[in-house]
Amino acid sequence: MAAPNTFLVPVLLLLLCGLGPYPAAARSHPGVECVLFNEEYMNCTWGNKEMPTVNYSLFYWYKNTSDKEVECKHYLQNQGVRVGCHFKQNELIQFQPFHVLINASVGGKTLEIPSKRMELQDLVKPEAPVNLTIHNMSNNQLQLTWASPYPKDKCLEHAVKYKSNKDTSWTELSVNGDVFSLPSVDYEKSYTFYVRSKINNYCGRTQFWSEWSVPVIWGSNSTSKGTKEQLYWFGIRTVLVPIASCLLLVVLVILLVRMERVWVILMPRIPNPSKNFDELFITHNGNFQEWTGVPKDVVESFKPNYSESICYVTELPQKDSHEPLWDSSNHAPPPMPGPPATHSEHSPHQNSYGTV
């Protein structure tokens, strides 16, 4: 029975201590996670699973460089509580053991998270690749190229995933270098490509992949030339169409404001003269004199101020004629009432007329 127990002791020690120094160095304390972004800056955060209720302080040092602890200079806060520390590029040293100590004082007691040994080259997360370009090769072959913002491109390995518009799942392949070739494509399909990067085993043991790049599309309606055309039409739809719509709306508003004037120009109104005489019949009751404003003395001057008497006219017979002017069988004309008219002496050959 002693032999099996003796065999289990080393196995348990291996499980507790890990398989070697490097995996243990790559892991940080469960409450602390440090990520070195593109070797430009690093963030160490804690309380990712549970929001801390007190402000912790972080101290760090590099073994074999200086044993002096240095407190974090730039804390990250969330709702006024410290949740991390930001390190600038001049504060970072790779290939040196890196230690952190996080503690807090609560009610006279000190809460402490012990330091753990880390290697910064194992914590690098590069930026996503950029400038993805597709080249048409011979024999229905495509070649995909890209560039990486990471300063040490020889330390990178890449992964490419793609699928056509007829596929339901993605195909992901590992690539060394910045060129990927797809040997056979169907010109009746369109293909979408993504690329991401990670530090290779020659420069570190990180497990942090970059984010996926912006996709590039190739297909029956989208070659590398077609991609530019898509971007062109995308710009037209997102920029020119809204601007044109706004201008049209402004023109319509102006036309609505000036619609009455435009309508008068296109369809002139027929004049209605009755409105001009409303004052004559309503205000002056049809009195034209008052309406026109003619003075009363002017109106009186046009009235007649004299009287005219009746004038009687008699026709005298000719001189050599003995016949009366009327028939003898008839009676003489009755005399007209009124005073006799005064006759003036005339020649016997002339008629007598009265003057007015």
Side-chain angles (χ1 to χ4, degrees):
M1 296 297 294
N5 293 334
T6 306
F7 175 76
L8 290 175
V9 171
V11 174
L12 293 175
L13 291 175
L14 288 174
L15 292 175
L16 292 173
C17 298
L19 298 177
Y22 291 106
R27 294 194 301 269
S28 61
H29 192 274
V32 181
E33 181 180 355
C34 296
V35 180
L36 179 56
F37 293 94
N38 211 51
E39 294 193 10
E40 296 176 357
Y41 64 93
M42 183 174 71
N43 287 340
C44 290
T45 58
W46 55 86
N48 294 331
K49 296 182 179 179
E50 183 179 356
M51 182 68 180
T53 57
V54 296
N55 281 324
Y56 285 90
S57 299
L58 182 143
F59 300 88
Y60 69 96
W61 68 92
Y62 292 95
K63 191 176 181 179
N64 300 330
T65 301
S66 175
D67 293 335
K68 183 179 179 181
E69 297 178 357
V70 180
E71 186 178 0
C72 173
K73 299 178 181 177
H74 309 281
Y75 283 104
L76 303 175
Q77 295 186 353
N78 184 8
Q79 298 180 358
V81 179
R82 295 175 182 176
V83 295
C85 179
H86 175 78
F87 296 86
K88 294 184 178 180
Q89 190 175 20
N90 57 4
E91 299 174 312
L92 304 175
I93 302 176
Q94 295 191 37
F95 300 99
Q96 292 288 340
F98 179 74
H99 298 268
V100 295
L101 175 64
I102 302 175
N103 58 24
S105 179
V106 179
K109 296 182 179 180
T110 301
L111 303 178
E112 182 176 319
I113 299 177
S115 64
K116 289 293 181 178
R117 180 178 183 271
M118 292 177 284
E119 298 282 348
L120 298 189
Q121 68 273 10
D122 298 337
L123 305 175
V124 177
K125 180 179 180 179
E127 287 189 19
V130 296
N131 297 333
L132 274 67
T133 306
I134 297 177
H135 305 277
N136 290 321
M137 310 301 290
S138 60
N139 299 325
N140 298 336
Q141 183 179 359
L142 294 181
Q143 187 179 79
L144 174 66
T145 61
W146 60 87
S148 177
Y150 185 68
K152 304 173 184 177
D153 55 347
K154 299 297 182 181
C155 290
L156 293 178
E157 62 179 89
H158 308 279
V160 177
K161 73 173 183 179
Y162 67 91
K163 76 172 185 177
S164 69
N165 57 341
K166 302 295 180 63
D167 297 332
T168 57
S169 60
W170 293 91
T171 300
E172 185 172 345
L173 299 173
S174 298
V175 179
N176 292 321
D178 54 2
V179 178
F180 171 76
S181 296
L182 190 61
S184 179
V185 294
D186 187 351
Y187 281 91
E188 295 182 356
K189 299 179 181 179
S190 61
Y191 295 82
T192 303
F193 296 87
Y194 290 87
V195 182
R196 65 177 181 174
S197 304
K198 183 177 77 71
I199 302 299
N200 58 32
N201 292 332
Y202 297 101
C203 300
R205 296 179 181 272
T206 181
Q207 299 301 318
F208 297 125
W209 283 93
S210 71
E211 304 296 332
W212 288 105
S213 65
V214 177
V216 63
I217 302 174
W218 180 94
S220 57
N221 295 326
S222 177
T223 59
S224 59
K225 181 178 179 180
T227 303
K228 295 181 180 179
E229 185 177 354
Q230 282 188 348
L231 294 176
Y232 171 76
W233 288 110
F234 177 78
I236 291 179
R237 289 194 301 269
T238 56
V239 178
L240 295 182
V241 171
I243 293 177
S245 301
C246 293
L247 291 177
L248 181 60
L249 183 61
V250 171
V251 172
L252 290 177
V253 170
I254 294 175
L255 288 179
L256 288 175
V257 172
R258 299 179 176 270
M259 182 57 70
E260 183 177 359
R261 183 173 182 179
V262 174
W263 184 256
V264 169
I265 295 175
L266 296 178
M267 298 290 293
R269 297 178 180 178
I270 300 175
N272 186 5
S274 62
K275 294 182 178 180
N276 299 330
F277 297 98
D278 289 342
E279 186 179 0
L280 171 62
F281 295 102
I282 296 175
T283 305
H284 300 284
N285 296 322
N287 190 328
F288 185 80
Q289 174 187 344
E290 293 182 0
W291 179 65
T292 56
V294 177
K296 187 176 181 180
D297 55 348
V298 176
V299 176
E300 294 294 335
S301 65
F302 285 97
K303 292 182 179 181
N305 57 358
Y306 60 91
S307 59
E308 181 180 1
S309 59
I310 300 175
C311 178
Y312 296 95
V313 179
T314 304
E315 183 179 0
L316 297 176
Q318 295 181 2
K319 183 179 179 180
D320 295 332
S321 176
H322 299 283
E323 295 181 0
L325 294 178
W326 56 83
D327 191 358
S328 61
S329 61
N330 296 333
H331 296 283
M336 297 299 294
T342 305
H343 298 280
S344 302
E345 292 184 358
H346 299 279
S347 171
H349 301 281
Q350 294 180 349
N351 292 333
S352 173
Y353 299 92
T355 59
V356 179

